[in-house]
């Protein structure tokens, strides 16, 4: 199971990728050394973050702090399109002002409730256009490209923070309660000897069924 969890450091201060892939895929749990903004555009996707799981709809936008494990499972052969923006903390601090903290949306204390919003069509189009402009500027050596990077990134972060500030959107995790509780227990007892039999006894569940459920969740 441990091979499905890994640390994926960000090589640059800012990365912006607009990706389109096809086919059933299971991306392993991972975390970064920076913040991530994930915008889902199309596909048949489940998004996992820590002990929660969400079935995604076009316009769903997630924010993920560095410490949070997350992954995506693409469930069929349809196009899977997303934008992933990775930002290191010093960039957020540099672009913020005493009046406007651009890291505000990441500083949530309740990840179960405040990790994502659903963008309306106008905001969705704005985000996609700004992200594409940012990606072009990041790849450019033209005069002024460094300034454009800060401009587009600042606009993106303002858009994200305003969407979170104004949103009343709420979505329940679809992670089965048994699996969520087992994952929480394992996380809280990493220094102890945990066997499948001990887990089955603690959660009053058949060991083989529990193993199958955990395997399905980790695949």
């Amino acid at each position: 199971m441990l091979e499905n969890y890994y640390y994926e450091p960000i090589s640059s201060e800012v990365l912006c990728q607009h990706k389109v892939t096809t086919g059933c895929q299971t991306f392993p749990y991972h975390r970064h050394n920076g913040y991530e903004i994930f915008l889902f555009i199309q596909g048949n996707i489940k998004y996992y973050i820590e002990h929660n799981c969400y079935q995604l709809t076009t316009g769903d936008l997630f924010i993920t702090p560095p410490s949070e494990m997350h992954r995506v499972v693409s469930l069929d052969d349809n196009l899977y399109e997303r934008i992933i923006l990775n930002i290191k903390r010093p960039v957020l601090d540099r672009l913020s002002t005493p009046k406007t903290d651009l890291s505000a949306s990441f500083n949530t204390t309740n990840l179960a409730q405040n990790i994502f919003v659903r963008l309306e069509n106008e905001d969705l189009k704005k985000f996609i256009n700004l992200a594409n402009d940012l990606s072009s500027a990041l790849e450019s050596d033209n005069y002024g490209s460094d300034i454009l990077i800060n401009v587009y990134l600042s606009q993106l972060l303002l858009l994200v923070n305003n969407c979170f500030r104004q949103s009343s959107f709420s979505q329940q995790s679809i992670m089965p309660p048994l699996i969520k509780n087992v994952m929480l227990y394992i996380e809280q007892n990493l220094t102890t000897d945990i066997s499948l039999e001990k887990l089955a006894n603690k959660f009053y569940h058949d060991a083989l069924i529990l193993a199958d459920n955990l395997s399905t969740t980790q695949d």
Side-chain angles (χ1 to χ4, degrees):
M1 186 183 297
L2 289 178
E3 64 270 17
N4 291 327
Y5 293 78
Y6 70 96
Y7 174 60
E8 188 178 72
I10 301 167
S11 58
S12 304
E13 283 195 323
V14 180
L15 291 176
C16 186
Q17 304 172 80
H18 191 158
K19 295 184 175 182
V20 180
T21 54
T22 58
C24 296
Q25 299 180 73
T26 296
F27 299 87
Y29 275 105
H30 62 281
R31 63 181 179 86
H32 307 288
N33 56 339
Y35 297 87
E36 179 169 290
I37 297 173
F38 172 94
L39 174 68
F40 174 66
I41 300 174
Q42 64 174 316
N44 184 9
I45 300 300
K46 285 184 179 178
Y47 186 96
Y48 293 80
I49 179 167
E50 293 291 334
H51 333 99
N52 297 299
C53 175
Y54 303 92
Q55 182 78 46
L56 300 194
T57 297
T58 296
D60 284 350
L61 184 143
F62 282 77
I63 54 174
T64 309
S67 61
E68 302 302 317
M69 285 287 184
H70 57 286
R71 69 164 184 164
V72 167
V73 176
S74 180
L75 301 171
D76 58 29
D77 291 331
N78 289 328
L79 284 178
Y80 166 34
E81 183 178 5
R82 67 280 193 194
I83 292 175
I84 302 172
L85 177 60
N86 297 108
I87 313 164
K88 290 186 178 179
R89 180 73 202 207
V91 178
L92 293 171
D93 293 339
R94 185 177 72 243
L95 295 178
S96 295
T97 69
K99 183 178 179 180
T100 306
D101 179 8
L102 292 175
S103 67
S105 294
F106 294 100
N107 298 330
T108 177
T109 58
N110 189 351
L111 282 174
Q113 299 296 326
N114 301 316
I115 59 173
F116 78 106
V117 294
R118 183 163 293 161
L119 301 186
E120 300 295 336
N121 285 337
E122 184 177 345
D123 288 331
L124 176 60
K125 292 176 182 177
K126 285 181 182 178
F127 188 100
I128 293 173
N129 289 335
L130 284 168
N132 289 336
D133 288 339
L134 173 60
S135 182
S136 296
L138 286 166
E139 296 173 359
S140 173
D141 290 327
N142 292 339
Y143 174 79
S145 60
D146 55 337
I147 293 177
L148 288 175
I149 289 170
N150 288 336
V151 170
Y152 296 139
L153 182 55
S154 295
Q155 290 183 77
L156 275 168
L157 291 169
L158 283 171
L159 174 61
V160 169
N161 278 280
N162 280 326
C163 287
F164 273 91
R165 287 164 58 88
Q166 298 165 9
S167 175
S168 58
F169 176 74
S170 177
Q171 179 92 337
Q172 292 298 314
S173 170
I174 61 173
M175 182 73 82
L178 171 65
I179 303 303
K180 181 173 183 176
N181 291 335
V182 170
M183 292 174 72
L184 283 168
Y185 178 81
I186 293 173
E187 181 180 293
Q188 294 165 1
N189 295 274
L190 288 175
T191 59
T192 64
D193 181 23
I194 302 175
S195 67
L196 182 60
E197 289 72 24
K198 286 183 179 179
L199 290 173
N201 288 333
K202 178 172 180 59
F203 292 96
Y204 306 102
H205 216 70
D206 182 88
L208 291 177
I209 296 176
L210 180 60
D212 184 61
N213 287 335
L214 287 171
S215 176
T216 301
T217 305
Q218 301 306 318
D219 286 343

